[in-house]
Amino acid sequence: MAPPLSRRTLLQATALTAAATGLNVSAPGGAAATGLRISTPGGAAATESAATAPLRPFGLGDVTLGPGVFADKRALMLGHARGYDVNRLLQVFRANAGLDTGGAVAPGGWEGLDGEANGNLRGHYTGHFLTMLAQAYASTGEEVFGDRIRTMVGALTQVREALRRDPVVLSGDGPFGRPAVEQVRGSYQYVDLPGGTLGGATAVTLSTWVRPGHDANWARVLDFGDDTTRYLYLAVRNASGVPRFAVTASGPGGEQALNGTAPLPRGRWSHLAVTLGDGTGTLYVDGTAVARDTAMTLTPAALGSLADHWLGRSHFAADPVFAGGLAEVQIWSRVLSAAEIGELQKARAADTSAGPGDLASYRLDETSGSRFADSSGHGAAATLRRTWGGPSHPGFLAAYPETQFVLLESMTGSDYTRVWAPYYTAHKILRGLLDAHLATGNARALDLASGLGDWMYARLSRLPAATLQRMWGIFSSGEYGGIVEAICDLHDRSGTPEHLALARLFDLDRLIDACAADSDVLDGLHANQHIPIFTGLVRLYDATGEQRYLTAAKNFWRMVVPHRMYGIGGTSTGEFWKARDVIAGTVSGATAETCCAYNLLKLSRALFLRDPDPAYMDYYERALYNQVLGSKQDRPDAEKPLVTYFIGLTPGHVRDYTPKQGTTCCEGTGMESATKYQDSVYFAAADGSALYVNLYSPSTLTWAEHGVTVTQRTAFPVEQGSTLTVGGGRASFALRLRVPAWATAGFRVTVNGRAVEGTPVPGTYFTVSRTWRAGDTVRVSMPFRLRTESTPDDPSLQALFHGPVNLVGRSSATTYLEVGLYGNAALSGDLLPSLTPVSGSPLHYTLNGTEFAPFLEGTEDPTHAYVRRSEPRVVFGGLDSGVANPARPDGTTLLDAVWAGAPFRSKGALVARVGKVVDAWVADGRLGRAEGDAVVRTARRASYVG
């Protein structure tokens, strides 16, 4: 790994870059920028195109979606963006800072303490949501999205300020009409009493009021002790859910304990008291003795001097911090009578015959500050603290303590229940803030983002390179998503040299070096942990000029596409990659994690902007029109984005649009995908000389540089073509139209009704150069064919495509559907004539009683994305030759060999091909002469469509 650059070196590099490119660009806020373009608010989705790159993208606001599948899907997500209560997202941040959450309920799933791994990923979803809002605002200009961004950024600013300072008491309504301490669940706050609180007493009474805010077991009301050996505690709930008092000098096995008989009601005040002396212990709940033990020999005096006296915190690290209300903590050096305990139910201790505790007396009715007065006469004030202390740098912003980041630095193995990808979460927050700044110009968002970068640099720059390499190589815990890309964007705007140095601290050298050397090491790796790394490397290449970054990214892309790609464009099984070219062998109910498709699209886009290889856009179209569109369910929901996590490709799989109770990584990226469908429809040459039309999507581009608009009107993919109309003034540029690799049935272009000369080649761009005038119309026609794509490890397992659209069988069968497609194949090689169109349902067909429909439709129908190709007999034009279809050892059949020669100019050309193939197979002994003659006769007799 390259060592961090010094500030002087980075400043010199920045100056040299600016001088070399001749740029004089200022980042928002006046900071000097590097040689990367800085987009103004409302402009491009990110500062993602290097000044030296041949292409640049347009901003989301520059491209308006027209009516069609993209607009329909986006409308559903915009409804979610408008309707979801953002205070629920902010709840986990406010709780972590000890702020009032306003009664908001955390989203659940991965975004709350009750979710998977205790919510160790909480906060990531807020970043996704900010990005969705920013994209929605940039695309539509609707102020509701800007307002929501301002609300969230304002709240996060308050959160960071609260984290910077000592915790401050949050008060609520207590018993007897007095305030009480409110401990927010997730705040990790407790009250620290002074040492010597128990004073070596030989008898003691403990009394307090509690209002549990959660049902977590083992949350302590108080815990006085040294460690997990010598202590006494009072817990709201034991393992059975009832109150428990225990004292021990020899750890859990030696506890002398009192257990209640019923759980304390949640959200209601209850009084707890414990008396201990003369060998007897008694536990009272609401004035009633619920447990008594006459053989309790341990007292505070027996424990001796104890180090810690905590309210709300346990000496056992795995125990939760108490959440809820706490009031009137009183400690006496004697055993109160049952009558005195009864009085405490009706009044504050100071107003009863017992009086305030003589060892400690904390009313806990303060409404500000972090100190609590002691009314016992000792004047021993208590202090509100965090269990984790506080952030190591004022820029820290998260929805959980910094301990997640600290623990990662010493981890040697994966354990996501302890540490679950903290830098992944930091990336989502950083990305959301940067997108919020870009869309709205919100200076606070950039300040928060810059602070995050400063904090990460302070945290990581002090670590040895070996530690960083180990961290980033740990599955899940060390996952950091697209943080490098985001940090490079931050550096472009802040101009802070340390931010670029920070980006390089995430280099995972063994992966980068292997991919730069074109050594495929992906087998066994977690897919989504590694895909976004390479988008970051592309940005690092821009910033540093280090070629290995770009080379590694290009080679990596080719290792995945097509070698680990399913037909719909997705990758991974159970989140992991398997061996190269093993596709059929990895099909499962947990294939094609949706995040992987999202990140592969980002990488494809980034690579294409720097190297306009049409293969990147062919992939982009495949994944966008199939997995990404198909991952969004086609119904509205304000509470859920309704996006898949995995898309199982097993026979009869039903898509799950509410995975893991919501708020997963894939639902987060799904929200983003559905609000930026238009981001790659058009690109421009950096010098303005050309416009690339990458996708055929109903849309209008406003190209301010030339003062023109370009409007696409199309029902693609229902329509097999598109019409582009130029508006505005005159402009000279080359229009580069992508000829999809699947467009083997022709690609025709007319301008104002006249054919354009040239031969479009599938898998390239077709160029039309002229001076364009308002009203000029370009018509693109690209007939679709039904084709199949075989898996490399099992040629008989195939996906059906009509143009760019994957057609899936809708059937509840749990074995692969067997289909034959050659029986009515057209001379062109089109297999569609073997299917029957469904009237009134475009792109819907039937075959052998099974409906086939576009994968992009977000239904809950059981689907078959792969079918088993079965052509048992040689059939031409619906005529059965009576001859079995022979196969070679590799699975290639005689019919495969015949139709590999398509398209055929005429029936005679097809018959000639049949004769040639038959002769070869007879010569190889795979077909008898009489059978071969029968095959040729059938081919001659049959009728074919064109």
Side-chain angles (χ1 to χ4, degrees):
M1 176 178 181
L5 301 177
S6 70
R7 184 179 181 87
R8 173 177 291 180
T9 301
L10 280 168
L11 286 171
Q12 290 173 339
T14 301
L16 286 172
T17 300
T21 58
L23 295 179
N24 182 17
V25 183
S26 294
T34 66
L36 297 179
R37 285 193 178 84
I38 304 298
S39 297
T40 55
T47 53
E48 59 187 333
S49 181
T52 56
L55 303 183
R56 59 179 172 81
F58 290 97
L60 292 176
D62 297 329
V63 184
T64 303
L65 285 178
V69 62
F70 289 115
D72 292 344
K73 295 266 189 180
R74 187 183 69 174
L76 295 171
M77 195 61 78
L78 291 179
H80 175 65
R82 295 185 194 99
Y84 192 81
D85 181 4
V86 296
N87 287 299
R88 296 188 62 192
L89 299 166
L90 295 166
Q91 193 271 353
V92 290
F93 284 90
R94 287 170 167 153
N96 186 49
L99 297 176
D100 188 356
T101 62
V105 178
W110 288 1
E111 278 293 309
L113 286 166
D114 296 316
E116 191 171 353
N118 298 318
N120 282 346
L121 210 64
R122 61 191 182 277
H124 81 115
Y125 204 68
T126 298
H128 285 298
F129 207 92
L130 268 173
T131 293
M132 173 178 67
L133 291 175
Q135 293 176 171
Y137 184 68
S139 295
T140 69
E142 289 186 34
E143 202 53 48
V144 63
F145 303 124
D147 288 342
R148 302 194 121 211
I149 289 171
R150 285 184 282 274
T151 296
M152 295 179 73
V153 170
L156 292 175
T157 301
Q158 293 174 341
V159 165
R160 187 178 70 174
E161 291 305 310
L163 288 171
R164 285 175 167 178
R165 63 177 185 254
D166 291 334
V168 176
V169 64
L170 184 65
S171 66
D173 295 332
F176 314 120
R178 300 286 296 180
V181 168
E182 187 72 31
Q183 296 289 73
V184 177
R185 185 163 183 258
S187 68
Y188 297 90
Q189 292 181 177
Y190 70 102
V191 179
D192 189 13
L193 308 186
T197 296
L198 294 177
T202 58
V204 69
T205 297
L206 309 172
S207 168
T208 188
W209 284 88
V210 297
R211 178 173 44 76
H214 195 262
D215 296 333
N217 293 339
W218 298 117
R220 304 290 202 261
V221 177
L222 58 84
D223 191 331
F224 300 165
D226 286 340
D227 45 34
T228 57
T229 301
R230 287 195 314 154
Y231 55 80
L232 66 81
Y233 69 77
L234 177 62
V236 177
R237 295 169 61 91
N238 64 6
S240 300
V242 298
R244 176 181 172 89
F245 170 80
V247 57
T248 181
S250 56
E255 287 185 0
Q256 298 178 6
L258 300 165
N259 294 303
T261 56
L264 299 183
R266 182 174 171 180
R268 199 180 81 193
W269 285 103
S270 298
H271 183 260
L272 293 177
V274 176
T275 60
L276 183 63
D278 298 324
T280 298
T282 306
L283 171 65
Y284 295 86
V285 176
D286 291 330
T288 300
V290 296
R292 178 172 284 112
D293 187 342
T294 58
M296 295 186 73
T297 60
L298 294 175
T299 64
L303 298 183
S305 177
L306 299 174
D308 305 312
H309 299 77
W310 296 334
L311 304 181
R313 179 181 179 182
S314 170
H315 279 85
F316 289 82
D319 290 343
V321 177
F322 173 77
L326 192 61
E328 280 282 308
V329 174
Q330 307 288 340
I331 307 177
W332 292 269
S333 61
R334 65 185 179 87
V335 174
L336 268 62
S337 67
E340 289 175 307
I341 298 294
E343 285 186 64
L344 295 173
Q345 315 308 301
K346 302 174 183 177
R348 299 162 59 200
D351 299 327
T352 68
S353 60
D358 62 315
L359 293 179
S361 176
Y362 298 98
R363 295 192 301 269
L364 302 180
D365 57 0
E366 286 81 355
T367 57
S368 63
S370 57
R371 302 277 283 177
F372 301 97
D374 173 27
S375 303
S376 69
H378 297 297
T383 305
L384 185 66
R385 304 189 191 280
R386 298 186 185 96
T387 61
W388 54 284
S392 62
H393 185 282
F396 176 74
L397 177 63
Y400 47 63
E402 195 175 356
T403 48
Q404 283 276 301
F405 301 88
V406 176
L407 288 170
L408 176 61
E409 293 168 9
S410 60
M411 288 182 70
T412 57
S414 175
D415 184 356
Y416 87 122
T417 63
R418 291 178 61 234
V419 177
W420 191 4
Y423 285 97
Y424 177 94
T425 305
H427 161 240
K428 300 308 174 189
I429 298 168
L430 177 60
R431 179 76 271 162
L433 290 169
L434 290 170
D435 290 339
H437 170 254
L438 188 69
T440 66
N442 189 304
R444 284 182 173 181
L446 183 58
D447 179 61
L448 289 171
S450 187
L452 262 176
D454 296 342
W455 162 72
M456 283 189 280
Y457 181 76
R459 170 116 240 132
L460 296 175
S461 61
R462 63 180 178 78
L463 298 177
T467 299
L468 294 171
Q469 294 296 313
R470 172 175 48 78
M471 286 165 56
W472 309 143
I474 299 174
F475 159 61
S476 188
S477 300
E479 182 175 357
Y480 55 75
I483 201 166
V484 174
E485 177 194 14
I487 293 169
C488 287
D489 286 352
L490 172 62
H491 173 248
D492 293 340
R493 298 182 213 182
S494 72
T496 302
E498 287 80 6
H499 291 163
L500 179 56
L502 170 64
R504 302 193 73 172
L505 293 177
F506 289 90
D507 280 8
L508 182 55
D509 285 331
R510 68 174 182 270
L511 178 66
I512 297 171
D513 292 341
C515 290
D518 206 15
S519 176
D520 191 330
V521 294
L522 304 189
D523 188 3
L525 291 185
H526 183 254
N528 199 52
Q529 181 166 348
H530 295 91
I531 298 170
I533 289 176
F534 291 91
T535 307
L537 296 185
V538 174
R539 297 287 280 108
L540 274 178
Y541 165 75
D542 294 337
T544 67
E546 192 167 322
Q547 185 63 44
R548 75 167 184 143
Y549 289 141
L550 184 60
T551 301
K554 288 182 176 182
N555 290 343
F556 166 80
W557 189 89
R558 288 191 292 269
M559 293 172 193
V560 178
V561 181
H563 301 290
R564 292 177 173 87
M565 181 192 76
Y566 299 103
I568 59 172
T571 188
S572 80
T573 183
E575 299 193 5
F576 287 83
W577 282 309
K578 301 301 182 184
R580 186 181 180 104
D581 291 323
V582 178
I583 299 298
T586 59
V587 168
S588 73
T591 37
E593 183 186 357
T594 304
C595 273
C596 294
Y598 164 89
N599 278 309
L600 276 175
L601 287 180
K602 289 195 73 172
L603 177 58
S604 301
R605 169 185 167 92
L607 290 171
F608 185 82
L609 287 169
R610 290 152 183 86
D611 174 19
D613 182 342
Y616 296 129
M617 280 297 127
D618 277 331
Y619 170 78
Y620 201 99
E621 179 187 64
R622 174 193 294 268
L624 180 64
Y625 273 92
N626 293 292
Q627 174 154 2
V628 172
L629 283 178
S631 68
K632 173 71 186 87
Q633 190 173 17
D634 294 333
R635 69 176 181 85
D637 193 311
E639 289 300 305
K640 299 289 184 185
L642 300 180
V643 177
T644 60
Y645 190 113
F646 297 117
I647 292 184
L649 300 178
T650 50
H653 178 81
V654 176
R655 292 174 216 168
D656 180 3
Y657 298 99
T658 54
K660 298 178 179 283
Q661 295 79 53
T663 68
T664 65
C665 54
C666 291
E667 286 159 296
T669 53
M671 293 190 299
E672 295 183 33
S673 290
T675 48
K676 62 166 188 163
Y677 289 134
Q678 75 270 40
D679 75 341
S680 295
V681 176
Y682 308 99
F683 293 152
D687 61 3
S689 63
L691 177 67
Y692 284 72
V693 180
N694 304 312
L695 300 171
Y696 298 98
S697 172
S699 55
T700 296
L701 166 69
T702 300
W703 195 2
E705 180 179 1
H706 281 295
V708 300
T709 61
V710 177
T711 299
Q712 275 200 76
R713 292 180 176 85
T714 179
F716 191 91
V718 173
E719 180 182 350
Q720 299 179 20
S722 183
T723 300
L724 296 87
T725 303
V726 177
R730 295 178 56 174
S732 297
F733 59 88
L735 186 66
R736 293 187 176 154
L737 304 162
R738 186 175 66 89
V739 185
W742 50 261
T744 57
F747 186 93
R748 293 179 290 279
V749 180
T750 62
V751 175
N752 299 330
R754 300 185 64 177
V756 178
E757 294 183 0
T759 305
V761 177
T764 67
Y765 278 76
F766 184 73
T767 301
V768 182
S769 297
R770 59 184 279 136
T771 297
W772 301 92
R773 296 173 175 81
D776 281 348
T777 300
V778 179
R779 175 62 190 169
V780 178
S781 299
M782 55 190 104
F784 293 1
R785 285 178 176 166
L786 182 69
R787 70 186 192 282
T788 63
E789 292 184 2
S790 297
T791 59
D793 50 330
D794 183 352
S796 70
L797 195 64
Q798 300 178 356
L800 273 60
F801 282 86
H802 190 225
V805 177
N806 177 217
L807 296 179
V808 295
R810 290 182 173 172
S811 168
S812 60
T814 55
T815 57
Y816 288 113
L817 301 174
E818 294 193 357
V819 301
L821 298 171
Y822 286 139
N824 287 297
L827 293 175
S828 64
D830 189 358
L831 302 173
L832 192 63
S834 293
L835 279 62
T836 302
V838 176
S839 178
S841 297
L843 297 177
H844 285 240
Y845 304 90
T846 60
L847 177 63
N848 299 330
T850 298
E851 183 180 16
F852 282 78
F855 186 97
L856 59 84
E857 294 182 351
T859 72
E860 293 180 299
D861 295 298
T863 60
H864 292 245
Y866 285 101
V867 296
R868 181 72 66 190
R869 189 68 174 273
S870 177
E871 308 278 357
R873 301 170 71 82
V874 177
V875 179
F876 291 108
L879 292 180
D880 189 337
S881 68
V883 177
N885 185 22
R888 292 175 177 152
D890 65 358
T892 301
T893 70
L894 182 140
L895 284 174
D896 291 333
V898 168
W899 289 103
F904 300 106
R905 297 185 308 275
S906 63
K907 175 179 176 178
L910 169 60
V911 173
R913 172 75 177 184
V914 171
K916 183 176 180 180
V917 171
V918 163
D919 288 345
W921 284 59
V922 169
D924 288 344
R926 302 188 187 282
L927 187 68
R929 183 73 265 174
E931 293 173 313
D933 291 343
V935 167
V936 174
R937 284 196 303 272
T938 303
R940 289 196 186 103
R941 291 171 50 215
S943 299
Y944 307 92
V945 295

